[in-house]
Amino acid sequence: MFRFENDRALIESFRPRDRRVIEMPPGITFPLFVRDYLAWTETSGARVYLVFSAPGSRKPIGIIFRRDSLGGEPVTRMCEWCHSYGSAHEVCLLTTAVDNKRRVGVNLCADLRCREKMEDAADRSGRHPLEFLGKLNERMFRFAHEALGIEAQPAA
């Protein structure tokens, strides 16, 4: 869990290279408490924003993903974070810049609503959702660390 006092704090959770293109989520009010993670889609649908914290940390990490074109051949894909299956409209390749010349991508839920899907899976299996959400958080951070070189900050 972490908290944002204002929009500036939310913007500063993103890498400096990404801060200039952030479109704030509609209807957001501060202070903002974030339990697991915060995700929203830009009005145009071209970008998806994710803010989470590394396991054991309360320092938020922001990543901006760009969506590949939705549609194309009817294919089923699996989200690499929540392991839900969906059509190309529901699970797609989301990419983010590593630097000015290189991008990395991962197949994820197009709207990053992995939390809801994992909570539903936990309910259906009669298990507590915290176990599932902890694994989701670990997968998010593993991507940020391995693909983007983002380091975990200790809890303050």
Side-chain angles (χ1 to χ4, degrees):
M1 175 180 278
F2 49 93
R3 173 182 169 152
F4 292 110
E5 294 297 329
N6 52 44
D7 59 345
R8 183 178 182 159
L10 176 57
I11 291 168
E12 288 176 354
S13 69
F14 290 87
R15 297 177 297 165
R17 67 175 296 111
D18 294 334
R19 292 177 187 162
R20 61 181 171 72
V21 298
I22 295 174
E23 179 181 304
M24 298 297 278
I28 193 168
T29 58
F30 296 95
L32 176 65
F33 292 92
V34 179
R35 184 183 70 177
D36 300 307
Y37 69 94
L38 175 65
W40 71 97
T41 303
E42 165 177 285
T43 307
S44 70
R47 291 188 183 103
V48 182
Y49 302 84
L50 171 68
V51 181
F52 69 101
S53 63
S57 174
R58 290 181 181 229
K59 183 170 180 3
I61 299 168
I63 300 174
I64 299 176
F65 290 100
R66 193 167 64 195
R67 285 189 190 176
D68 69 351
S69 58
L70 298 177
E73 293 184 35
V75 61
T76 300
R77 298 179 182 164
M78 182 181 80
C79 174
E80 293 184 36
W81 288 351
C82 70
H83 300 155
S84 295
Y85 288 92
S87 70
H89 292 286
E90 298 165 318
V91 177
C92 65
L93 181 66
L94 298 182
T95 64
T96 189
V98 175
D99 54 37
N100 290 334
K101 296 182 180 182
R102 195 166 56 108
R103 298 187 68 77
V104 292
V106 61
N107 283 314
L108 299 174
C109 292
D111 54 9
L112 292 179
R113 294 196 171 198
C114 298
R115 174 182 44 238
E116 289 88 353
K117 293 174 184 177
M118 292 187 90
E119 287 175 341
D120 182 56
D123 287 344
R124 284 186 281 115
S125 67
R127 297 168 70 186
H128 198 282
L130 283 181
E131 174 186 343
F132 288 84
L133 296 174
K135 289 180 182 181
L136 174 62
N137 185 257
E138 289 171 9
R139 292 177 189 128
M140 288 176 173
F141 180 69
R142 185 178 318 120
F143 172 80
H145 178 69
E146 292 175 0
L148 304 174
I150 295 173
E151 297 293 330
Q153 300 294 318

